[in-house]
Amino acid sequence: MKQRLKGMLALCTALLLVLLGGCQGEGRAAFTQDCVLSLQAGSTTAVVSGTRTDGSQAAGETVSLAQPPLVEGETFWLPLEAVVAALGGTCQVEGDTATVRWLDQTVVYTIGAPGAQRNGTDWLPEDLPAFQDPAQTLPPEAVVPQVREGVWYLPLALAQPLLYGGTLWTQPTQDPAAGLVILGRELAADLTLGGFSLASRPQWEDLPADLTRGMTETGRQPSATGEPYDGVCWTGDGVACWVLQPQPGGPDWQEAGTLCGVELTTGDQATPRGLKVGDTLALAQLLYGPLVDLGHGIYQRAEPFGSAFHLCFQVQDQTITKIGLYNNLWGMEG
């Protein structure tokens, strides 16, 4: 009987380990700096997308934080140990000092001391271009870590030495009024939608055949800005592509044949951050930050990707009905 109970206990233990492995799985690998982490004040649920050190990808994956972020006035406070754990780093607290290790960054924070020490070098927010303007001088409490009820909290400005190793991390996106902050601004894949990348302004005829196979020309539309070119629409499998072409009888144009926009029209595919047609506008804001209402049910990410690429959402009753990514020569029609 004892042997049987031991066997059952061993089996249960093995199953528990399998289940825990399935829950944690890839989460054991740290995220690289090609990731974005969305946090909301008062919530212990965060959303992360991007690349892990083992090469695996996350798209809108939820992670649990031990403590929630806080917003006080215009200052966003990060629970240090919880955020570092979500990224896959480590945080060692000894007395008034916390040492964070993540990827090639080692950052030391001290309670009551402004700034931090990053990889052995002292750091202050004024060292970054965004804080060189005297008009943007930060109050003392915005550049020192604090301990609140046993939890280390960093003002958002102090997260920058930890994230400074990647240029896309130096200025987090934040919306204090909405209690939202996104660490990391862009993913390497953010200029890709439905398998089509707009990053290099590709020519339609040069795209791989396995991408365009089965797509058919379904319409033609003039430029909304009055420029002498049209957009030709190719559709297939819930994806629509817009390709620039000269207007009939018009002059040749150097951008002719350029893929200028990609749209998702069904929920069969997702953006690199995991957003699909059928999701809510609130989720789009959580994943992409502040949105601008362009009217006619169209919302656009407030900050363009790569300074020239726009992500737009067509919305009805707070539900996304179309997702579009465009270069500066095209856009979403209402």
Side-chain angles (χ1 to χ4, degrees):
M1 184 67 177
K2 289 183 179 179
Q3 292 298 325
R4 188 176 180 181
L5 288 174
K6 287 182 179 178
M8 292 178 65
L9 180 60
L11 178 60
C12 290
T13 302
L15 287 173
L16 179 60
L17 290 173
V18 169
L19 288 172
L20 288 174
C23 293
Q24 298 173 349
E26 297 174 344
R28 284 193 293 267
F31 280 93
T32 69
Q33 287 177 329
D34 181 31
C35 74
V36 292
L37 180 67
S38 297
L39 306 161
Q40 283 202 295
S43 175
T44 55
T45 299
V47 182
V48 65
S49 304
T51 306
R52 297 185 179 90
T53 52
D54 62 3
S56 61
Q57 300 289 320
E61 182 177 293
T62 58
V63 293
S64 294
L65 304 176
Q67 299 87 22
L70 306 173
V71 168
E72 294 177 351
E74 293 293 310
T75 302
F76 204 98
W77 292 87
L78 306 176
L80 177 62
E81 294 171 88
V83 168
V84 171
L87 294 172
T90 63
C91 180
Q92 182 178 359
V93 174
E94 294 182 354
D96 290 341
T97 300
T99 301
V100 175
R101 293 181 176 86
W102 177 56
L103 304 177
D104 61 347
Q105 316 296 318
T106 298
V107 182
V108 180
Y109 296 103
T110 302
I111 294 299
Q117 188 181 75
R118 175 182 177 271
N119 291 344
T121 301
D122 290 339
W123 179 94
L124 286 171
E126 287 79 5
D127 294 336
L128 292 178
F131 296 104
Q132 290 176 357
D133 183 351
Q136 299 186 39
T137 301
L138 298 176
E141 65 271 13
V143 291
V144 297
Q146 297 182 7
V147 174
R148 304 184 181 192
E149 297 181 358
V151 178
W152 275 68
Y153 278 93
L154 290 186
L156 186 58
L158 282 196
Q160 293 178 9
L162 171 62
L163 311 174
Y164 194 39
T167 57
L168 298 180
W169 285 73
T170 57
Q171 293 294 318
T173 300
Q174 63 171 322
D175 184 353
L180 172 68
V181 66
I182 300 179
L183 302 179
R185 297 171 73 86
E186 298 182 20
L187 297 177
D190 271 333
L191 295 183
T192 300
L193 207 60
F196 293 87
S197 174
L198 270 64
S200 61
R201 302 174 78 93
Q203 290 285 298
W204 179 254
E205 62 182 16
D206 295 334
L207 292 173
D210 60 342
L211 271 180
T212 59
R213 186 181 296 114
M215 300 191 76
T216 57
E217 185 177 334
T218 57
R220 191 179 186 105
Q221 183 173 300
S223 166
T225 61
E227 299 292 333
Y229 56 82
D230 293 343
V232 176
C233 187
W234 293 77
T235 60
D237 294 331
V239 178
C241 294
W242 290 95
V243 182
L244 295 176
Q245 294 294 353
Q247 293 177 341
D252 291 337
W253 191 50
Q254 63 180 3
E255 296 281 359
T258 301
L259 176 65
C260 61
V262 182
E263 298 170 343
L264 300 183
T265 56
T266 69
D268 296 333
Q269 298 195 54
T271 71
R273 302 192 189 189
L275 192 72
K276 295 183 178 182
V277 169
D279 286 335
T280 64
L281 184 63
L283 180 58
Q285 177 173 291
L286 177 64
L287 292 173
Y288 290 99
L291 306 177
V292 178
D293 185 351
L294 301 180
H296 306 289
I298 296 175
Y299 291 78
Q300 180 173 292
R301 185 175 188 256
E303 297 182 49
F305 286 125
S307 77
F309 296 90
H310 302 280
L311 185 68
C312 297
F313 312 100
Q314 190 172 64
V315 178
Q316 184 174 4
D317 297 328
Q318 298 297 304
T319 299
I320 296 172
T321 58
K322 182 166 64 177
I323 301 172
L325 177 67
Y326 311 93
N327 68 17
N328 60 330
L329 298 173
W330 204 252
M332 183 175 286
E333 292 293 318

